mmCIF file of all heavy atoms in Angstrom:
data_model
loop_
_atom_site.group_PDB
_atom_site.id
_atom_site.type_symbol
_atom_site.label_atom_id
_atom_site.label_comp_id
_atom_site.label_asym_id
_atom_site.label_seq_id
_atom_site.Cartn_x
_atom_site.Cartn_y
_atom_site.Cartn_z
ATOM 1 N N GLU O 6 23.909 0.388 -3.618
ATOM 2 C CA GLU O 6 22.522 0.271 -4.077
ATOM 3 C C GLU O 6 22.277 -1.044 -4.813
ATOM 4 O O GLU O 6 21.140 -1.538 -4.860
ATOM 5 C CB GLU O 6 22.156 1.459 -4.977
ATOM 6 C CG GLU O 6 22.794 1.472 -6.350
ATOM 7 C CD GLU O 6 24.207 2.040 -6.331
ATOM 8 O OE1 GLU O 6 24.703 2.376 -5.230
ATOM 9 O OE2 GLU O 6 24.800 2.151 -7.422
ATOM 10 N N GLU O 7 23.329 -1.648 -5.372
ATOM 11 C CA GLU O 7 23.139 -2.892 -6.122
ATOM 12 C C GLU O 7 22.826 -4.058 -5.195
ATOM 13 O O GLU O 7 21.829 -4.763 -5.377
ATOM 14 C CB GLU O 7 24.385 -3.179 -6.965
ATOM 15 C CG GLU O 7 24.645 -2.141 -8.063
ATOM 16 C CD GLU O 7 25.794 -2.538 -8.955
ATOM 17 O OE1 GLU O 7 26.279 -3.695 -8.830
ATOM 18 O OE2 GLU O 7 26.223 -1.709 -9.779
ATOM 19 N N TRP O 8 23.681 -4.289 -4.192
ATOM 20 C CA TRP O 8 23.419 -5.436 -3.317
ATOM 21 C C TRP O 8 22.234 -5.194 -2.401
ATOM 22 O O TRP O 8 21.503 -6.131 -2.052
ATOM 23 C CB TRP O 8 24.667 -5.812 -2.518
ATOM 24 C CG TRP O 8 25.215 -4.777 -1.574
ATOM 25 C CD1 TRP O 8 26.199 -3.873 -1.828
ATOM 26 C CD2 TRP O 8 24.824 -4.560 -0.213
ATOM 27 N NE1 TRP O 8 26.441 -3.092 -0.722
ATOM 28 C CE2 TRP O 8 25.616 -3.495 0.288
ATOM 29 C CE3 TRP O 8 23.887 -5.143 0.631
ATOM 30 C CZ2 TRP O 8 25.502 -3.017 1.589
ATOM 31 C CZ3 TRP O 8 23.761 -4.675 1.932
ATOM 32 C CH2 TRP O 8 24.561 -3.618 2.403
ATOM 33 N N LEU O 9 22.002 -3.927 -2.014
ATOM 34 C CA LEU O 9 20.834 -3.646 -1.190
ATOM 35 C C LEU O 9 19.543 -3.875 -1.967
ATOM 36 O O LEU O 9 18.578 -4.448 -1.453
ATOM 37 C CB LEU O 9 20.882 -2.205 -0.675
ATOM 38 C CG LEU O 9 21.514 -1.966 0.694
ATOM 39 C CD1 LEU O 9 21.581 -0.476 0.991
ATOM 40 C CD2 LEU O 9 20.736 -2.686 1.786
ATOM 41 N N THR O 10 19.520 -3.432 -3.216
ATOM 42 C CA THR O 10 18.332 -3.635 -4.053
ATOM 43 C C THR O 10 18.073 -5.117 -4.269
ATOM 44 O O THR O 10 16.924 -5.575 -4.198
ATOM 45 C CB THR O 10 18.504 -2.930 -5.406
ATOM 46 O OG1 THR O 10 18.698 -1.530 -5.197
ATOM 47 C CG2 THR O 10 17.277 -3.138 -6.284
ATOM 48 N N GLU O 11 19.122 -5.886 -4.524
ATOM 49 C CA GLU O 11 18.964 -7.330 -4.723
ATOM 50 C C GLU O 11 18.394 -7.996 -3.475
ATOM 51 O O GLU O 11 17.517 -8.863 -3.560
ATOM 52 C CB GLU O 11 20.315 -7.943 -5.087
ATOM 53 C CG GLU O 11 20.248 -9.437 -5.364
ATOM 54 C CD GLU O 11 21.592 -10.011 -5.764
ATOM 55 O OE1 GLU O 11 22.522 -9.226 -6.025
ATOM 56 O OE2 GLU O 11 21.708 -11.248 -5.807
ATOM 57 N N LEU O 12 18.886 -7.575 -2.292
ATOM 58 C CA LEU O 12 18.406 -8.138 -1.048
ATOM 59 C C LEU O 12 16.932 -7.826 -0.831
ATOM 60 O O LEU O 12 16.130 -8.701 -0.469
ATOM 61 C CB LEU O 12 19.236 -7.598 0.121
ATOM 62 C CG LEU O 12 18.936 -8.140 1.518
ATOM 63 C CD1 LEU O 12 19.238 -9.624 1.578
ATOM 64 C CD2 LEU O 12 19.743 -7.393 2.564
ATOM 65 N N VAL O 13 16.548 -6.566 -1.086
ATOM 66 C CA VAL O 13 15.161 -6.145 -0.890
ATOM 67 C C VAL O 13 14.236 -6.861 -1.868
ATOM 68 O O VAL O 13 13.171 -7.358 -1.483
ATOM 69 C CB VAL O 13 15.045 -4.614 -1.043
ATOM 70 C CG1 VAL O 13 13.581 -4.193 -1.152
ATOM 71 C CG2 VAL O 13 15.703 -3.907 0.135
ATOM 72 N N LEU O 14 14.616 -6.922 -3.132
ATOM 73 C CA LEU O 14 13.746 -7.529 -4.130
ATOM 74 C C LEU O 14 13.572 -9.027 -3.903
ATOM 75 O O LEU O 14 12.488 -9.575 -4.145
ATOM 76 C CB LEU O 14 14.295 -7.272 -5.532
ATOM 77 C CG LEU O 14 14.236 -5.817 -6.012
ATOM 78 C CD1 LEU O 14 14.847 -5.686 -7.401
ATOM 79 C CD2 LEU O 14 12.801 -5.289 -6.009
ATOM 80 N N SER O 15 14.612 -9.698 -3.429
ATOM 81 C CA SER O 15 14.470 -11.132 -3.151
ATOM 82 C C SER O 15 13.472 -11.356 -2.019
ATOM 83 O O SER O 15 12.696 -12.324 -2.046
ATOM 84 C CB SER O 15 15.830 -11.744 -2.799
ATOM 85 O OG SER O 15 16.357 -11.200 -1.601
ATOM 86 N N ARG O 16 13.464 -10.456 -1.040
ATOM 87 C CA ARG O 16 12.486 -10.564 0.052
ATOM 88 C C ARG O 16 11.079 -10.301 -0.466
ATOM 89 O O ARG O 16 10.134 -11.036 -0.151
ATOM 90 C CB ARG O 16 12.836 -9.584 1.169
ATOM 91 C CG ARG O 16 11.803 -9.523 2.303
ATOM 92 C CD ARG O 16 11.733 -10.823 3.079
ATOM 93 N NE ARG O 16 12.974 -11.055 3.787
ATOM 94 C CZ ARG O 16 13.212 -10.647 5.041
ATOM 95 N NH1 ARG O 16 12.294 -9.967 5.685
ATOM 96 N NH2 ARG O 16 14.360 -10.911 5.625
ATOM 97 N N LEU O 17 10.898 -9.275 -1.266
ATOM 98 C CA LEU O 17 9.577 -8.966 -1.809
ATOM 99 C C LEU O 17 9.070 -10.077 -2.721
ATOM 100 O O LEU O 17 7.874 -10.399 -2.716
ATOM 101 C CB LEU O 17 9.623 -7.635 -2.573
ATOM 102 C CG LEU O 17 9.889 -6.381 -1.740
ATOM 103 C CD1 LEU O 17 9.985 -5.154 -2.641
ATOM 104 C CD2 LEU O 17 8.793 -6.180 -0.691
ATOM 105 N N ALA O 18 9.975 -10.679 -3.495
ATOM 106 C CA ALA O 18 9.569 -11.789 -4.362
ATOM 107 C C ALA O 18 9.143 -12.997 -3.534
ATOM 108 O O ALA O 18 8.169 -13.679 -3.863
ATOM 109 C CB ALA O 18 10.716 -12.167 -5.299
ATOM 110 N N GLY O 19 9.863 -13.259 -2.437
ATOM 111 C CA GLY O 19 9.504 -14.372 -1.572
ATOM 112 C C GLY O 19 8.159 -14.200 -0.910
ATOM 113 O O GLY O 19 7.501 -15.183 -0.557
ATOM 114 N N LEU O 20 7.726 -12.970 -0.738
ATOM 115 C CA LEU O 20 6.427 -12.686 -0.128
ATOM 116 C C LEU O 20 5.319 -12.543 -1.164
ATOM 117 O O LEU O 20 4.191 -12.185 -0.828
ATOM 118 C CB LEU O 20 6.518 -11.402 0.706
ATOM 119 C CG LEU O 20 7.424 -11.488 1.935
ATOM 120 C CD1 LEU O 20 7.566 -10.124 2.598
ATOM 121 C CD2 LEU O 20 6.879 -12.503 2.938
ATOM 122 N N GLY O 21 5.623 -12.813 -2.420
ATOM 123 C CA GLY O 21 4.614 -12.740 -3.461
ATOM 124 C C GLY O 21 4.201 -11.331 -3.812
ATOM 125 O O GLY O 21 3.120 -11.113 -4.372
ATOM 126 N N LEU O 22 5.067 -10.350 -3.547
ATOM 127 C CA LEU O 22 4.725 -8.948 -3.791
ATOM 128 C C LEU O 22 5.284 -8.434 -5.112
ATOM 129 O O LEU O 22 4.794 -7.427 -5.637
ATOM 130 C CB LEU O 22 5.231 -8.080 -2.634
ATOM 131 C CG LEU O 22 4.677 -8.459 -1.256
ATOM 132 C CD1 LEU O 22 5.283 -7.582 -0.170
ATOM 133 C CD2 LEU O 22 3.162 -8.362 -1.237
ATOM 134 N N VAL O 23 6.318 -9.085 -5.643
ATOM 135 C CA VAL O 23 6.853 -8.751 -6.960
ATOM 136 C C VAL O 23 7.287 -10.052 -7.626
ATOM 137 O O VAL O 23 7.481 -11.076 -6.970
ATOM 138 C CB VAL O 23 8.061 -7.782 -6.888
ATOM 139 C CG1 VAL O 23 7.706 -6.489 -6.160
ATOM 140 C CG2 VAL O 23 9.267 -8.452 -6.228
ATOM 141 N N THR O 24 7.448 -9.996 -8.946
ATOM 142 C CA THR O 24 8.074 -11.109 -9.671
ATOM 143 C C THR O 24 9.341 -10.583 -10.333
ATOM 144 O O THR O 24 9.396 -9.427 -10.768
ATOM 145 C CB THR O 24 7.139 -11.696 -10.735
ATOM 146 O OG1 THR O 24 6.727 -10.655 -11.631
ATOM 147 C CG2 THR O 24 5.918 -12.317 -10.103
ATOM 148 N N LEU O 25 10.360 -11.438 -10.393
ATOM 149 C CA LEU O 25 11.651 -11.073 -10.971
ATOM 150 C C LEU O 25 11.944 -12.000 -12.138
ATOM 151 O O LEU O 25 11.978 -13.227 -11.974
ATOM 152 C CB LEU O 25 12.762 -11.205 -9.923
ATOM 153 C CG LEU O 25 12.551 -10.474 -8.592
ATOM 154 C CD1 LEU O 25 13.687 -10.783 -7.629
ATOM 155 C CD2 LEU O 25 12.451 -8.985 -8.818
ATOM 156 N N GLU O 26 12.133 -11.427 -13.323
ATOM 157 C CA GLU O 26 12.497 -12.243 -14.469
ATOM 158 C C GLU O 26 13.057 -11.359 -15.574
ATOM 159 O O GLU O 26 12.606 -10.237 -15.797
ATOM 160 C CB GLU O 26 11.294 -13.025 -15.002
ATOM 161 C CG GLU O 26 10.086 -12.179 -15.327
ATOM 162 C CD GLU O 26 8.901 -13.017 -15.772
ATOM 163 O OE1 GLU O 26 8.996 -14.259 -15.757
ATOM 164 O OE2 GLU O 26 7.879 -12.422 -16.137
ATOM 165 N N LEU O 27 14.097 -11.879 -16.231
ATOM 166 C CA LEU O 27 14.716 -11.219 -17.387
ATOM 167 C C LEU O 27 15.101 -9.772 -17.088
ATOM 168 O O LEU O 27 14.873 -8.875 -17.893
ATOM 169 C CB LEU O 27 13.767 -11.278 -18.588
ATOM 170 C CG LEU O 27 13.354 -12.687 -19.053
ATOM 171 C CD1 LEU O 27 12.341 -12.597 -20.184
ATOM 172 C CD2 LEU O 27 14.566 -13.499 -19.452
ATOM 173 N N GLY O 28 15.683 -9.537 -15.917
ATOM 174 C CA GLY O 28 16.147 -8.200 -15.575
ATOM 175 C C GLY O 28 15.050 -7.195 -15.323
ATOM 176 O O GLY O 28 15.303 -5.984 -15.352
ATOM 177 N N ALA O 29 13.826 -7.666 -15.056
ATOM 178 C CA ALA O 29 12.703 -6.757 -14.826
ATOM 179 C C ALA O 29 12.026 -7.096 -13.510
ATOM 180 O O ALA O 29 12.063 -8.240 -13.032
ATOM 181 C CB ALA O 29 11.695 -6.845 -15.970
ATOM 182 N N VAL O 30 11.386 -6.094 -12.928
ATOM 183 C CA VAL O 30 10.653 -6.230 -11.667
ATOM 184 C C VAL O 30 9.200 -5.864 -11.941
ATOM 185 O O VAL O 30 8.908 -4.750 -12.386
ATOM 186 C CB VAL O 30 11.227 -5.306 -10.576
ATOM 187 C CG1 VAL O 30 10.470 -5.507 -9.264
ATOM 188 C CG2 VAL O 30 12.713 -5.536 -10.398
ATOM 189 N N THR O 31 8.277 -6.787 -11.670
ATOM 190 C CA THR O 31 6.861 -6.524 -11.884
ATOM 191 C C THR O 31 6.140 -6.525 -10.546
ATOM 192 O O THR O 31 6.051 -7.565 -9.889
ATOM 193 C CB THR O 31 6.227 -7.586 -12.802
ATOM 194 O OG1 THR O 31 6.936 -7.629 -14.038
ATOM 195 C CG2 THR O 31 4.770 -7.262 -13.061
ATOM 196 N N PRO O 32 5.640 -5.375 -10.101
ATOM 197 C CA PRO O 32 4.864 -5.338 -8.849
ATOM 198 C C PRO O 32 3.585 -6.159 -8.993
ATOM 199 O O PRO O 32 2.937 -6.140 -10.037
ATOM 200 C CB PRO O 32 4.552 -3.849 -8.673
ATOM 201 C CG PRO O 32 5.554 -3.130 -9.517
ATOM 202 C CD PRO O 32 5.811 -4.034 -10.682
ATOM 203 N N ARG O 33 3.222 -6.867 -7.922
ATOM 204 C CA ARG O 33 2.011 -7.675 -7.942
ATOM 205 C C ARG O 33 0.937 -6.999 -7.084
ATOM 206 O O ARG O 33 1.237 -6.174 -6.221
ATOM 207 C CB ARG O 33 2.295 -9.087 -7.446
ATOM 208 C CG ARG O 33 3.435 -9.761 -8.216
ATOM 209 C CD ARG O 33 3.255 -11.243 -8.301
ATOM 210 N NE ARG O 33 2.145 -11.609 -9.183
ATOM 211 C CZ ARG O 33 1.785 -12.873 -9.420
ATOM 212 N NH1 ARG O 33 2.453 -13.875 -8.854
ATOM 213 N NH2 ARG O 33 0.779 -13.149 -10.218
ATOM 214 N N PRO O 34 -0.338 -7.344 -7.295
ATOM 215 C CA PRO O 34 -1.431 -6.618 -6.644
ATOM 216 C C PRO O 34 -1.325 -6.512 -5.128
ATOM 217 O O PRO O 34 -1.691 -5.476 -4.556
ATOM 218 C CB PRO O 34 -2.671 -7.409 -7.071
ATOM 219 C CG PRO O 34 -2.307 -7.991 -8.389
ATOM 220 C CD PRO O 34 -0.847 -8.327 -8.289
ATOM 221 N N ALA O 35 -0.864 -7.575 -4.451
ATOM 222 C CA ALA O 35 -0.814 -7.536 -2.985
ATOM 223 C C ALA O 35 0.113 -6.453 -2.464
ATOM 224 O O ALA O 35 0.013 -6.048 -1.300
ATOM 225 C CB ALA O 35 -0.385 -8.898 -2.432
ATOM 226 N N LEU O 36 1.023 -5.959 -3.300
ATOM 227 C CA LEU O 36 1.918 -4.885 -2.869
ATOM 228 C C LEU O 36 1.128 -3.621 -2.549
ATOM 229 O O LEU O 36 1.571 -2.787 -1.756
ATOM 230 C CB LEU O 36 2.944 -4.595 -3.965
ATOM 231 C CG LEU O 36 4.110 -3.679 -3.598
ATOM 232 C CD1 LEU O 36 4.997 -4.329 -2.542
ATOM 233 C CD2 LEU O 36 4.938 -3.348 -4.831
ATOM 234 N N GLY O 37 -0.057 -3.493 -3.128
ATOM 235 C CA GLY O 37 -0.863 -2.312 -2.892
ATOM 236 C C GLY O 37 -1.382 -2.174 -1.479
ATOM 237 O O GLY O 37 -1.900 -1.111 -1.110
ATOM 238 N N ARG O 38 -1.238 -3.225 -0.651
ATOM 239 C CA ARG O 38 -1.725 -3.132 0.722
ATOM 240 C C ARG O 38 -0.728 -2.472 1.660
ATOM 241 O O ARG O 38 -1.032 -2.226 2.830
ATOM 242 C CB ARG O 38 -2.072 -4.527 1.249
ATOM 243 C CG ARG O 38 -0.865 -5.387 1.613
ATOM 244 C CD ARG O 38 -1.270 -6.784 2.008
ATOM 245 N NE ARG O 38 -2.134 -6.803 3.171
ATOM 246 C CZ ARG O 38 -1.683 -6.795 4.432
ATOM 247 N NH1 ARG O 38 -0.381 -6.741 4.670
ATOM 248 N NH2 ARG O 38 -2.510 -6.839 5.436
ATOM 249 N N PHE O 39 0.475 -2.190 1.170
ATOM 250 C CA PHE O 39 1.497 -1.628 2.037
ATOM 251 C C PHE O 39 1.692 -0.140 1.774
ATOM 252 O O PHE O 39 1.650 0.325 0.641
ATOM 253 C CB PHE O 39 2.837 -2.350 1.854
ATOM 254 C CG PHE O 39 2.796 -3.769 2.334
ATOM 255 C CD1 PHE O 39 2.637 -4.814 1.451
ATOM 256 C CD2 PHE O 39 2.883 -4.052 3.681
ATOM 257 C CE1 PHE O 39 2.579 -6.118 1.878
ATOM 258 C CE2 PHE O 39 2.826 -5.353 4.136
ATOM 259 C CZ PHE O 39 2.671 -6.395 3.228
ATOM 260 N N ALA O 40 1.901 0.596 2.848
ATOM 261 C CA ALA O 40 2.192 2.025 2.772
ATOM 262 C C ALA O 40 3.154 2.365 3.892
ATOM 263 O O ALA O 40 3.270 1.636 4.871
ATOM 264 C CB ALA O 40 0.913 2.850 2.887
ATOM 265 N N LEU O 41 3.839 3.467 3.743
ATOM 266 C CA LEU O 41 4.824 3.899 4.737
ATOM 267 C C LEU O 41 4.199 4.968 5.608
ATOM 268 O O LEU O 41 3.667 5.953 5.114
ATOM 269 C CB LEU O 41 6.063 4.459 4.038
ATOM 270 C CG LEU O 41 7.305 4.672 4.903
ATOM 271 C CD1 LEU O 41 7.873 3.332 5.335
ATOM 272 C CD2 LEU O 41 8.357 5.444 4.134
ATOM 273 N N ARG O 42 4.222 4.750 6.900
ATOM 274 C CA ARG O 42 3.742 5.781 7.818
ATOM 275 C C ARG O 42 4.910 6.248 8.674
ATOM 276 O O ARG O 42 5.703 5.439 9.165
ATOM 277 C CB ARG O 42 2.610 5.258 8.706
ATOM 278 C CG ARG O 42 2.953 4.035 9.533
ATOM 279 C CD ARG O 42 1.776 3.644 10.405
ATOM 280 N NE ARG O 42 1.975 2.367 11.068
ATOM 281 C CZ ARG O 42 2.661 2.213 12.200
ATOM 282 N NH1 ARG O 42 3.212 3.261 12.779
ATOM 283 N NH2 ARG O 42 2.795 1.015 12.743
ATOM 284 N N ALA O 43 5.029 7.537 8.817
ATOM 285 C CA ALA O 43 6.149 8.106 9.571
ATOM 286 C C ALA O 43 5.933 7.929 11.061
ATOM 287 O O ALA O 43 4.827 8.064 11.575
ATOM 288 C CB ALA O 43 6.292 9.581 9.244
ATOM 289 N N THR O 44 7.025 7.618 11.765
ATOM 290 C CA THR O 44 7.019 7.567 13.213
ATOM 291 C C THR O 44 8.111 8.494 13.697
ATOM 292 O O THR O 44 8.958 8.931 12.918
ATOM 293 C CB THR O 44 7.288 6.133 13.713
ATOM 294 O OG1 THR O 44 8.561 5.708 13.222
ATOM 295 C CG2 THR O 44 6.206 5.179 13.226
ATOM 296 N N PRO O 45 8.116 8.864 14.989
ATOM 297 C CA PRO O 45 9.128 9.801 15.477
ATOM 298 C C PRO O 45 10.530 9.379 15.072
ATOM 299 O O PRO O 45 10.936 8.240 15.271
ATOM 300 C CB PRO O 45 8.936 9.743 16.997
ATOM 301 C CG PRO O 45 7.491 9.411 17.167
ATOM 302 C CD PRO O 45 7.162 8.471 16.035
ATOM 303 N N GLY O 46 11.272 10.287 14.453
ATOM 304 C CA GLY O 46 12.639 10.012 14.039
ATOM 305 C C GLY O 46 12.738 9.339 12.693
ATOM 306 O O GLY O 46 13.825 9.129 12.186
ATOM 307 N N LEU O 47 11.623 8.950 12.099
ATOM 308 C CA LEU O 47 11.544 8.337 10.778
ATOM 309 C C LEU O 47 12.186 6.964 10.718
ATOM 310 O O LEU O 47 11.763 6.106 9.964
ATOM 311 C CB LEU O 47 12.178 9.250 9.710
ATOM 312 C CG LEU O 47 12.013 8.790 8.255
ATOM 313 C CD1 LEU O 47 10.548 8.778 7.875
ATOM 314 C CD2 LEU O 47 12.785 9.692 7.306
ATOM 315 N N VAL O 48 13.199 6.718 11.559
ATOM 316 C CA VAL O 48 13.910 5.446 11.484
ATOM 317 C C VAL O 48 12.982 4.285 11.805
ATOM 318 O O VAL O 48 13.144 3.184 11.322
ATOM 319 C CB VAL O 48 15.112 5.451 12.459
ATOM 320 C CG1 VAL O 48 15.849 4.128 12.412
ATOM 321 C CG2 VAL O 48 16.047 6.592 12.119
ATOM 322 N N GLY O 49 11.972 4.526 12.604
ATOM 323 C CA GLY O 49 11.057 3.448 12.984
ATOM 324 C C GLY O 49 9.893 3.323 12.044
ATOM 325 O O GLY O 49 8.807 2.945 12.443
ATOM 326 N N ALA O 50 10.053 3.690 10.764
ATOM 327 C CA ALA O 50 8.962 3.594 9.813
ATOM 328 C C ALA O 50 8.441 2.166 9.756
ATOM 329 O O ALA O 50 9.151 1.211 9.953
ATOM 330 C CB ALA O 50 9.437 4.027 8.440
ATOM 331 N N ALA O 51 7.127 2.033 9.490
ATOM 332 C CA ALA O 51 6.518 0.702 9.476
ATOM 333 C C ALA O 51 5.490 0.619 8.376
ATOM 334 O O ALA O 51 5.021 1.617 7.847
ATOM 335 C CB ALA O 51 5.871 0.423 10.840
ATOM 336 N N ALA O 52 5.147 -0.609 8.043
ATOM 337 C CA ALA O 52 4.154 -0.844 6.981
ATOM 338 C C ALA O 52 2.800 -1.082 7.589
ATOM 339 O O ALA O 52 2.672 -1.628 8.682
ATOM 340 C CB ALA O 52 4.573 -2.058 6.155
ATOM 341 N N GLU O 53 1.767 -0.677 6.873
ATOM 342 C CA GLU O 53 0.419 -0.958 7.328
ATOM 343 C C GLU O 53 -0.461 -1.216 6.113
ATOM 344 O O GLU O 53 -0.187 -0.749 5.003
ATOM 345 C CB GLU O 53 -0.136 0.203 8.146
ATOM 346 C CG GLU O 53 -0.239 1.498 7.361
ATOM 347 C CD GLU O 53 -0.798 2.639 8.204
ATOM 348 O OE1 GLU O 53 -1.049 2.415 9.395
ATOM 349 O OE2 GLU O 53 -0.969 3.723 7.648
#
């Protein structure tokens, strides 16, 4: 969970969806445009 979380957060920060500083994660407003919708088998989940 440590390296996976770091990988995910670095991607979200690069897209301007979160900021990372002093051991904290701050969600930014544009993150509100994403939601998870289920697809058959769940593995193919996508953002919209």
Side-chain angles (χ1 to χ4, degrees):
E6 71 277 3
E7 295 186 9
W8 62 266
L9 267 175
T10 300
E11 182 178 349
L12 184 64
V13 167
L14 291 178
S15 64
R16 175 66 66 91
L17 294 177
L20 294 174
L22 301 178
V23 303
T24 56
L25 307 176
E26 54 183 4
L27 301 176
V30 182
T31 303
R33 306 211 70 180
L36 191 65
R38 75 185 299 275
F39 293 100
L41 193 69
R42 57 178 171 83
T44 59
L47 187 63
V48 179
E53 62 180 3

